[in-house]
Amino acid sequence: MKQFYCQCGQPVFFDSEKCLSCGSRLGFDPLSMTMLALHQAGEWWLAPYGNAFRFCDNATKFQVCNWVVPDTDPHPLCSGCRFNRTVPNQSLPDNQQRWLRLEEGKKRLLYTLMQLGLPLENGWDAPDTGLLFDFIEDGRSQVAYPETFVHTGYLGGVITLNTLEADDAAREAQRLQLKESYRTVLGHLRHESGHYYWQRLNADEGLRAEFAAVFGDDSQDYQGSLDRYYANGPEAGWQQRFISAYASAHPAEDWAESWGHYLHIYDALETAAAHGLRSVWPDQMDITERISVWRALSVTLNELNRSVGRRDAYPFVLNAEVEKKLAFVDRVIGLLRTPGPGTAAH
Ligand SMILES: [Zn+2]
Ligand SMILES: [Zn+2]
Ligand SMILES: [Zn+2]
């Protein structure tokens, strides 16, 4: 993530709504990828260079967004919120906070996808190729839905996330029950976006063969593999071949986990450069260099966390097998940026 600055010079952040130094209202403009200090003029908010914006409806009505819409665009929602299909019912308790957490994760995901130059279309504007999000509740988060049990996952252009993942106590309970070392809203969303992009790429036979050589045959029984994983746990010695225990459940999950980590690493290296911890930006490094820099930096990050009594921020090991998987993700991202040979036409 870049470091943003208010017009007064104060450093501000991607999630900021207000400058703590000069009091300016802040809004993120996804077109210029900048944080704008805005002042109100009637129904509009004016940026320092004079352009007029509105705040997204989800900012003014629900305080879960800080993105703006240019005056030339009649849509009530910002380009990030247009990806929503289902949002938590705001008349129910705790749901404003949960939705806010989900939006923060989703916006950070979208930011990195934009930084990487990946194609981004919402499923309303592009029903065949676009992406949508369902933030869904079940009986565990609201007594109003006693019968249902909603799984986080991806299917046919829609990422579904159980709203309960935005509740710290509930997510931590899940993490412990599943013996995971890491479980976050952002991690879920980045993982699921990997399923979306692999489907969207519509890879040809050659690329599918390469995929199989790196991750294994992803046509093997999906539900059976996952059931086995949840019943018996990960295969022995998974640490030598996979980034996480869950990645060992099925080749498609290994791919999505690797994709998620590719995004973690890119974002973290960008943040490190923005804050002067490294002099090189991730887009100036190839994947081998990125991995090597991140290996050293993540150790420092974990040690810093331990210094203040917290668990490791990045409890993962990037072994040689994982490195190959990340290199394949890098290749796929290149193809997605510029569709051409290697991908079948839609
Ligand atoms: Zn300011
Ligand atoms: Zn919005
Ligand atoms: Zn998955």
Side-chain angles (χ1 to χ4, degrees):
M1 180 61 64
K2 278 194 287 189
Q3 173 73 66
F4 301 98
Y5 294 91
C6 179
Q7 57 178 351
C8 73
Q10 172 78 11
V12 295
F13 305 95
F14 187 56
D15 301 330
S16 299
E17 290 173 358
K18 208 173 177 170
C19 172
L20 295 178
S21 177
C22 73
S24 289
R25 179 84 193 264
L26 301 169
F28 181 75
D29 172 27
L31 275 177
S32 62
M33 300 283 274
T34 54
M35 191 61 84
L36 304 172
L38 301 155
H39 65 273
Q40 199 162 15
E43 61 174 314
W44 300 105
W45 288 84
L46 302 181
Y49 49 85
N51 290 24
F53 297 88
R54 271 176 296 112
F55 274 92
C56 171
D57 254 17
N58 287 344
T60 51
K61 290 186 181 153
F62 305 108
Q63 292 82 50
V64 297
C65 180
N66 66 343
W67 288 23
V68 293
V69 187
D71 60 352
T72 48
D73 184 346
H75 203 293
L77 296 176
C78 74
S79 60
C81 288
R82 284 175 217 180
F83 282 87
N84 294 345
R85 189 171 75 168
T86 312
V87 299
N89 182 339
Q90 291 301 285
S91 68
L92 294 171
D94 301 326
N95 272 358
Q96 194 273 341
Q97 267 305 306
R98 289 171 181 166
W99 190 13
L100 177 62
R101 293 278 161 274
L102 296 168
E103 284 299 327
E104 284 170 356
K106 192 193 73 190
K107 299 286 176 24
R108 199 167 269 263
L109 164 70
L110 294 175
Y111 174 89
T112 304
L113 299 177
M114 290 190 270
Q115 285 293 77
L116 285 167
L118 286 163
L120 257 184
E121 300 165 302
N122 67 64
W124 304 109
D125 294 339
D128 294 338
T129 51
L131 178 64
L132 290 170
F133 291 82
D134 278 347
F135 298 137
I136 299 210
E137 292 174 89
D138 64 20
R140 291 169 297 171
S141 54
Q142 296 293 350
V143 285
Y145 308 107
E147 308 290 340
T148 53
F149 189 92
V150 174
H151 285 289
T152 291
Y154 171 80
L155 189 67
V158 181
I159 290 175
T160 300
L161 191 58
N162 191 316
T163 300
L164 214 51
E165 294 293 338
D167 182 290
D168 290 343
R171 190 184 57 255
E172 181 65 5
Q174 277 282 90
R175 186 186 74 76
L176 291 168
Q177 195 201 333
L178 295 170
K179 297 192 181 76
E180 294 171 340
S181 57
Y182 173 97
R183 190 178 183 94
T184 64
V185 167
L186 183 58
H188 279 306
L189 294 172
R190 284 183 170 156
H191 169 107
E192 302 304 340
S193 76
H195 291 303
Y196 163 67
Y197 277 106
W198 179 248
Q199 184 190 50
R200 176 178 176 133
L201 181 67
N202 197 10
D204 67 13
E205 239 171 75
L207 197 63
R208 286 190 179 279
E210 276 183 59
F211 179 105
V214 177
F215 299 99
D217 177 8
D218 68 341
S219 67
Q220 63 187 261
D221 177 23
Y222 182 77
Q223 201 49 55
S225 301
L226 258 60
D227 290 346
R228 237 183 346 269
Y229 173 79
Y230 285 119
N232 310 330
E235 60 177 67
W238 64 266
Q239 291 90 343
Q240 269 70 56
R241 293 175 47 220
F242 300 96
I243 185 73
S244 65
Y246 184 62
S248 71
H250 187 272
E253 295 313 310
D254 194 10
W255 154 263
E257 284 287 271
S258 303
W259 173 279
H261 278 266
Y262 184 99
L263 300 187
H264 285 329
I265 293 167
Y266 192 93
D267 188 12
L269 290 177
E270 188 181 65
T271 307
H275 290 262
L277 298 173
R278 283 291 180 281
S279 55
V280 186
W281 294 83
D283 62 355
Q284 299 168 315
M285 292 184 258
D286 66 23
I287 183 66
T288 312
E289 288 168 311
R290 278 185 217 161
I291 290 169
S292 136
V293 170
W294 177 239
R295 274 194 184 117
L297 200 58
S298 60
V299 170
T300 308
L301 176 66
N302 288 342
E303 280 297 301
L304 284 170
N305 264 29
R306 290 173 203 176
S307 297
V308 292
R310 303 196 71 110
R311 273 200 315 266
D312 288 356
Y314 192 77
F316 301 100
V317 177
L318 301 176
N319 59 45
E321 285 300 308
V322 169
E323 199 168 335
K324 277 186 226 160
K325 294 170 186 178
L326 292 171
F328 184 80
V329 173
D330 190 57
R331 188 160 127 62
V332 167
I333 285 178
L335 292 170
L336 281 158
R337 273 201 202 111
T338 47
T343 61
H346 284 284

